[in-house]
Amino acid sequence: MLAGIPTRIGYRRKHGFLLTQALPDTKGEGKKSEAFYNEDLLSGLSIPGPGSTDLYFPLSATRSPAFDSLKKPFVVLNVSASCRSKSWPLQNFSVLAGLLFDKLHFASVLIGKEADCEVVKNRTSSPVTSFAETLPLRELGALLKQATLHISNDTGPMHIAAAVHTPVIAIFGRTRPGLGPARWAPLGKDHTVLQKKIGCDPCLAHDCQLDFDCLKATKVEDVFHAVQTYTARLVC
């Protein structure tokens, strides 16, 4: 408004009074992907949203020397998230890294917060490589492109993995509408969403009184089985 932009389209929330066209904010219902909620804004310009699940992420033509020493095949584990309500226990990632190496000969590459990656690295006996808080976005995309799989909490890099066509195993906990996989799961094919419903109705999300037992309900064995299911399809 202050810049003099004549057409300002958005959702009726927060500073919605500054808009010239405000759509009802129904995102909290979580009935479709966030991407498609954002596409709905195009209706204000009489442009139909394409509804495509085929994402695009630009990759640098220059190969990062940091990846040359990585042993293949490898799986990228995102061990962090923006809040506890989305964070699978770090100990689970440590055990999973061991299983991936011992049973399937997959090396693990860690991304996320430096402190979290250190915990996972120190608690597993398998060799792991950490790129905690070190990669620019394009290099992160290149790393995920080379990975066989990406196993992740509900957080941003899994969408980059989806965009570079690397299969994702995403771990969700919260079941409150608008916070779950119906809205936030990676788009595209070959992705697996793991979520256990433990009977919380309503889900209190950030204000959980059960120490996020919904996340703990997804066991290491569940994630490892999802990996085995994916690798079995590769063999076939």
Side-chain angles (χ1 to χ4, degrees):
M1 183 183 73
L2 294 176
I5 296 171
T7 303
R8 304 181 300 279
I9 306 167
Y11 284 102
R12 190 176 292 116
R13 54 178 298 188
K14 295 181 181 178
H15 305 299
F17 63 91
L18 297 174
L19 302 171
T20 57
Q21 183 173 341
L23 278 66
D25 184 9
T26 59
K27 290 186 177 186
E29 297 175 358
K31 292 183 176 180
K32 58 185 176 182
S33 171
E34 175 73 1
F36 301 147
Y37 281 116
N38 289 330
E39 283 186 355
D40 288 346
L41 298 175
L42 296 173
S43 64
L45 300 173
S46 300
I47 300 173
S52 173
T53 60
D54 187 16
L55 307 180
Y56 171 74
F57 185 85
L59 294 173
S60 173
T62 305
R63 178 183 174 84
S64 172
F67 305 150
D68 290 341
S69 60
L70 294 178
K71 295 181 179 179
K72 292 186 177 181
F74 66 84
V75 174
V76 175
L77 308 180
N78 188 346
V79 303
S80 298
S82 59
C83 63
R84 283 192 64 213
S85 68
K86 300 195 291 185
S87 299
W88 201 45
L90 295 175
Q91 178 62 26
N92 287 2
F93 279 110
S94 298
V95 175
L96 178 63
L99 282 174
L100 291 172
F101 185 76
D102 294 339
K103 304 293 186 181
L104 299 175
H105 308 295
F106 282 146
S108 291
V109 176
L110 309 181
I111 61 172
K113 299 175 185 176
E114 187 169 358
D116 292 344
C117 290
E118 277 300 304
V119 169
V120 173
K121 190 173 182 179
N122 291 335
R123 291 182 181 177
T124 185
S125 57
S126 63
V128 297
T129 302
S130 174
F131 285 110
E133 302 181 33
T134 61
L135 298 177
L137 280 179
R138 288 210 176 188
E139 288 192 15
L140 176 60
L143 174 69
L144 292 167
K145 178 67 175 177
Q146 295 178 48
T148 301
L149 279 170
H150 180 44
I151 302 174
S152 179
N153 293 314
D154 168 21
T155 189
M158 70 177 177
H159 301 292
I160 298 178
V164 298
H165 306 295
T166 294
V168 176
I169 297 174
I171 303 166
F172 280 78
R174 307 173 300 183
T175 58
R176 179 186 291 183
L179 298 180
R183 182 177 173 191
W184 297 109
L187 294 174
K189 300 177 181 179
D190 293 329
H191 307 309
T192 301
V193 170
L194 299 177
Q195 183 186 45
K196 295 287 183 71
K197 296 182 180 181
I198 61 172
C200 297
D201 188 17
C203 166
L204 298 180
H206 309 289
D207 299 317
C208 178
Q209 304 299 303
L210 299 176
D211 198 30
F212 306 106
D213 285 350
C214 55
L215 280 165
K216 297 174 187 175
T218 296
K219 305 299 184 183
V220 173
E221 293 76 12
D222 298 322
V223 181
F224 185 67
H225 177 71
V227 176
Q228 288 179 307
T229 301
Y230 172 73
T231 55
R233 293 203 306 268
L234 288 181
V235 173
C236 295

